[in-house]
Amino acid sequence: MKRTISILVENHAGVLSRISGLFSRRGFNIDSLAVGVTDDPSISRITIVADGNEYTLEQLEKQLNKLIEVIKVKTLENDELLARELMLVKIVAPSEKRSEIATIVDIMGAKIIDLSLTTMTLEISNTSFHLARFEELIKPYGIIEMVRTGTIAIQKGADSISVKKQ
Amino acid sequence: MKAAEAMVKYLEQEGIKVVFGYPGAAVCPFYDYLSKSSIRHILVRHEQHAGHEANGYARITNKPAVCIATSGPGAINLITAIATAYADSVPMVIITGQVSSEQIGRDVFQEADVIGAAEPFVKHSFLVKDAQTLPETFKKAFYIAGTGRKGPVLIDVPIDVQESEIEYSYPELVSMRAYKPTSKGNSLQVKRVAAAIAEAKKPLICVGGGIISADACKELYALAEKADIPVVTTMMGKGAVSGYDKRCLGMIGMHGVSAANKAVTDCDLLILIGARVGDRAVRSPVFLAKTTKIIHIDIDPAEIGKNIPVDIPLVGDSKIILNQLLEVVEEKGHAEWNEHLNSLRKAPVFEAAGTGFINPKEFISKLSDAADENTIYVADVGQNQIWSSNFFKVKKGRFLTSGGMGTMGYSVPCAIGAKLASENSPVIAVCGDGAFQMSMMELATIKQHNIPIKIVVMSNKRLGMVRELQTKLYKDNQVAVSLEGSPDFIKLAQAYDIPAFRVTDDKSAQEAIDKLVRNDGEPLLVECMVSPIESTL
Ligand SMILES: Cc1ncc(C[n+]2csc(CCOP(=O)(O)OP(=O)(O)O)c2C)c(N)n1
Ligand SMILES: [Mg+2]
């Protein structure tokens, strides 16, 4: 089962390599990984989507917690989170196809962010499931280049993963 | 003050009396000031041994010990020792010199990313880029290495950082928001454990290295007494309870004694303390857990449930937890169960060895009986490790070995470190002729620094353990296990001006044992001739 794991870490050089090293060393597969600084500049937040059973995930959480620079680890349940992933995609778009593409873009909640004589560049931010559907729809036009960030996620409602300020 | 001088002072502040190392250009500023301090430096003959010596020292003092190497090859030579310490949760602080910070990443002479290379084997590591962070870094390193589940911490210091000027200061305490090791056990879980003990008819305690590193052997014995529970140990737990004690059934596992293994299968409650249930210790943990109630007490939450399904997990420091338990566990007797287990004990029968050889099991057994009660016995890896762990019984001393990593060549340097940590205890290292040749350059260290350890080399002219495996599983196709070409160890020791003699029969064996147990301040090497077909069984 796919799980989303949020990790708060000290914003130090080398933390990311310790974390990715831990995953590969212990044989955990990462589907996606996204990292960025939080409102507290001394803390970064890493979101990892990984596949695994109950046992693997529990081990993973415990092993992550053992890293000295890991402040907090939380596996977010799929129904309690809001997840987003960003995709930029450049597709073949001759002028006669453009309005058709624009309709898809509109319905799917994407944006056209650049144009050239022969191509269009689209941007979409949504769940990775939604992004996959969008990809299906634009594939027939010919994808030239595609880039996705990893998923980032936050809890629904008032709950939060935070660190007590020192 | 020069940062290098401050680094030496931090070590003094940490109470460090002895360090083990090997210098080189990138760590010269530090050595320059080390010479002006009261800290004793033991020059090893290979950096790996600096690591193992610190390991032996740390296991005896139960505090982080320090080893030092230069950048590049020096640092990389330490890796095996770092991994060995990590696998056995031994507290160490490793200081390496690094090339100048502005040169890092340019593949300059003797540059190696030791932080990257050692990452899988350290509890934590620091690359110091700013000399101002040195005080806090050292304090953190010692704190991390010596608390919670102990382990090695690496500090890599570029030469320009060592050379820079800083104000001297050293923090009393450090606090890290992301590192707060738990120590006290959850009281609800403690009660559940006590209830399970009250209910059990055939309880058994199995202890690992964690109990020794938590300094909880007294508390363990008190619990075993109070609730009348027999004790088995893993290889790392050997010595937690005296091997001569009536409560101790010996070592479990693939190479353990049958009574101890039988106890594990027969018990209805297994209380694991500071033992990680390694694959060599418990063959089929999942199967065992189906029929037996399992309590797992460990300082590292990640060990609980990792290798064996657990009924009652209890995280914390075993010394504190055992004290908590002693308050709530009721006095109880298990006469029948203990009698049953005692009936499983077998007195060993030693077969006579062929002419020119001795029986190594009998030799170790006799050595065990004759040894001073405070003896620190260091076992290497190979067949000799199995003989040692089966036939050496600890009284009040220690049994040290590389349990997790099984690193050949560990015993001699570890014994050196152990001896320096406990100068009054007799220290005996027992190794194979293969492993000895991985560490025999340390005879020079022994001589140079006058470290009176006793060494026993079990000479079977083979990499015996591998030979035995090839005999059993590869139709006796003996490949790359002959140690033909080895030197005459007696002459070799003599070349270092270390007394040595060879044991070829029972008479010389007895003579050797008499000399080995003598705590006379002299180093000694004994070579025991062992038949190449001798097995561990
Ligand atoms: C550094 C290292 N290399 C290889 C091994 C694999 N190994 C385990 S036991 C053994 C043989 C040891 O031979 P020796 O030291 O002579 O001891 P014996 O088994 O003969 O008693 C070997 C090669 C190891 N454990 N450590
Ligand atoms: Mg041998």
Side-chain angles (χ1 to χ4, degrees), chain B residues 80 380-385 387 405-408 431-436 438 458 460 462-466 483:
Chain B
T80 304
D380 214 283
V381 172
Q383 289 182 309
N384 61 88
Q385 183 184 36
W387 299 327
M405 197 51 62
T407 307
M408 275 173 72
C431 59
D433 44 357
F436 182 64
M438 285 190 171
M458 294 288 180
N460 53 7
R462 299 285 184 287
L463 299 173
M465 192 69 165
V466 182
L483 291 172

Side-chain angles (χ1 to χ4, degrees), chain B residues 306-375:
Chain B
K306 185 172 93 178
N307 296 333
I308 191 165
V310 170
D311 297 286
I312 312 177
L314 183 43
V315 179
D317 178 281
S318 13
K319 192 180 180 94
I320 299 174
I321 288 183
L322 282 165
N323 277 321
Q324 288 175 278
L325 277 171
L326 281 167
E327 276 175 26
V328 287
V329 166
E330 288 155 32
E331 257 174 69
K332 217 182 148 187
H334 295 287
E336 205 177 312
W337 166 232
N338 277 302
E339 245 163 64
H340 164 68
L341 294 177
N342 278 328
S343 74
L344 300 174
R345 288 181 201 260
K346 283 191 210 117
V349 189
F350 300 113
E351 282 166 32
T355 330
F357 298 124
I358 56 139
N359 181 330
K361 303 168 191 167
E362 186 177 10
F363 182 87
I364 292 169
S365 180
K366 285 187 175 156
L367 177 62
S368 174
D369 290 343
D372 180 276
E373 60 178 20
N374 294 315
T375 298

